[in-house]
Amino acid sequence: MELKTILEALYQNRSQAHLANDPLSFCHRYREPLDQEVAGLVASSFAYGNVKIIKKNLAGIFEAMGPSPRRFVERFDPKQGIRLFAGFKHRFNDARDLCALLLACRIMIEEEGSIEAWLLRFHTPQDEDLTGTLSGFSDAVKRLDLAPVFGPGGVPADSYFPFFFPSPASGSACKRLCMLLRWMVRPADGIDLGIWRGISPAQLIIPVDAHIQRICRFLGFTNRKQADWRMACEITRALRELDPADPVKYDFAICHLGISEGCDGKDRLKCAACPIGDICSAGPA
């Protein structure tokens, strides 16, 4: 069976159980696109580490934000935010980093009306992919005036706020930003939302986490060992051969072979039952 046929079947078999086990599920709590984009930036920013801890910490954030993330950030006062989120910790990000992120959201909305419109300042529709868009966006966010959170000295050395906004220019895979863009840009299909129309899905780059890195090596989409921007682009080019208009279409389904189904390429029983076993180098011999 050919590669595309198998991946199409994998795509069709995505489930709401997989979505419930994904940070994207927090965006689906809201119906308004302007709420969804704020929820998406917050949820993707903290989408690193153990999935259960990610979901627990995000649940706490969104409970505090109330029924409309958009209204919350429009009215966000950093001093009140520091008190509201006192004690917050997600691995090495703390309450200051969270409040700086919320302040950044507020500034973007104040300046352009939406996060999408602010990001589009840095977007060139003619580009092959989002290398330039993400580089410009991340650099600009890190130049915002965040003194209401951090004070007049700028972002302190012990803050991990810049971790939210890596840049392809540094070689980073930019996994969480690429994930945000997939959620917002890809056509609505019950998983992704399709609410940002100013970027073509053809320009998206796959978010490379440990699962995508491992499984895409098994599938022969990359031979690189380091999960960096070059790997993300290499995998995306391989996927573009299968679907030029929507190359990251299969990302969610492939990723959840690891996140939700426990694929590690070592359990032969799981390999025997895996839907991509016939085309995977780790599959049954």
Side-chain angles (χ1 to χ4, degrees), residues 39-53:
L41 181 53
V42 173
S44 62
S45 293
F46 292 101
Y48 67 97
N50 179 275
V51 172
K52 290 182 179 179
I53 295 174

Side-chain angles (χ1 to χ4, degrees), residues 38-112:
V38 172
L41 181 53
V42 173
S44 62
S45 293
F46 292 101
Y48 67 97
N50 179 275
V51 172
K52 290 182 179 179
I53 295 174
I54 293 169
K55 291 171 61 180
K56 174 179 177 292
N57 287 340
L58 287 176
I61 293 171
F62 288 114
E63 181 179 358
M65 293 177 77
S68 172
R70 164 71 174 226
R71 285 199 300 273
F72 181 86
V73 299
E74 286 178 329
R75 303 168 182 173
F76 181 68
D77 177 83
K79 291 182 180 178
Q80 293 178 2
I82 290 293
R83 291 193 294 270
L84 178 63
F85 295 109
F88 173 82
K89 191 76 174 175
H90 181 74
R91 296 191 67 183
F92 36 78
N93 286 119
D94 59 20
R96 295 175 308 164
D97 300 333
L98 170 57
C99 288
L101 178 66
L102 297 173
L103 177 59
C105 289
R106 193 191 82 188
I107 294 170
M108 292 181 212
I109 291 169
E110 287 173 346
E111 291 184 354
E112 294 289 352

